[in-house]
Amino acid sequence: IASLFSAGMSTIATSINSSATIVLTDFAKRLSKKELSEKKSMRVLYATSFVVGALGIVMGLLMMRIDGVLDAWWKLASIFSGGMLGLFLLGVVCKTVRRAHAVVAVILGLLTIAWMSLSPLINAGSPFYRFHSPLHTYLTIVFGTTVIFLTGFLLTKFTKKGN
């Protein structure tokens, strides 16, 4: 049992440290007008580690109230992964996609993801129930990805090169 606990804590520590390093290198250093000193860099790492750790604890406590953690994971993965996958596929397939086309595609995809994710929260007696998604929430990633990819693909293929 102790070795399992140790392995779990090692994984958590690695994830927290990786997140803090990403925030430091990708955000703090790029957004800083001056080069960050080692002391300021360490402050960013400590603060980010604390925030990510606290968020992890809060999420863990909230997950205790959920009946199926795996169900919750799939729903969250659908929400957060659908947009990234659709945009990735659009970039791989369409080599000359314009930024405006990608932005429109992502906005439509995120609206689809939001609709499919939030519609189960609408009660049957609500006047908004007619906008309820009839599809299962596990399909959120499929439809979000498809909307982003197809919208970007069609906009790229059917707009003239000169425009």
Side-chain angles (χ1 to χ4, degrees):
I1 302 256
S3 63
L4 288 175
F5 179 75
S6 175
M9 291 305 293
S10 171
T11 303
I12 292 169
T14 301
S15 297
I16 291 173
N17 288 333
S18 298
S19 300
T21 303
I22 288 170
V23 168
L24 175 67
T25 57
D26 289 349
F27 296 106
K29 286 186 176 180
R30 287 185 184 177
L31 297 175
S32 177
K33 294 180 182 173
K34 298 184 286 185
E35 187 172 332
L36 291 178
S37 67
E38 187 173 333
K39 189 174 183 178
K40 287 185 180 180
S41 295
M42 290 304 295
R43 276 194 215 144
V44 170
L45 289 172
Y46 288 140
T48 305
S49 296
F50 177 77
V51 169
V52 170
L55 286 173
I57 291 169
V58 169
M59 288 301 294
L61 291 172
L62 290 174
M63 289 290 193
M64 288 174 50
R65 295 180 177 213
I66 296 174
D67 292 333
V69 176
L70 189 58
D71 287 340
W73 167 253
W74 282 115
K75 289 176 186 175
L76 290 173
S78 294
I79 293 168
F80 295 119
S81 301
M84 292 299 294
L85 180 59
L87 193 59
F88 172 77
L89 289 174
L90 181 62
V92 168
V93 173
C94 299
K95 300 293 184 193
T96 59
V97 67
R98 290 193 181 139
R99 182 182 308 209
H101 297 160
V103 168
V104 169
V106 168
I107 289 171
L108 289 176
L110 290 177
L111 288 173
T112 303
I113 291 168
W115 168 66
M116 290 185 71
S117 301
L118 298 176
S119 68
L121 302 176
I122 300 173
N123 294 329
S126 171
F128 299 108
Y129 191 72
R130 61 184 157 173
F131 302 113
H132 186 268
S133 170
L135 305 168
H136 195 280
T137 54
Y138 291 165
L139 292 172
T140 304
I141 191 170
V142 175
F143 283 95
T145 300
T146 304
V147 166
I148 291 172
F149 175 74
L150 283 180
T151 302
F153 180 78
L154 293 173
L155 285 173
T156 300
K157 293 300 176 192
F158 293 121
T159 50
K160 296 179 182 177
K161 300 272 187 205
N163 290 342

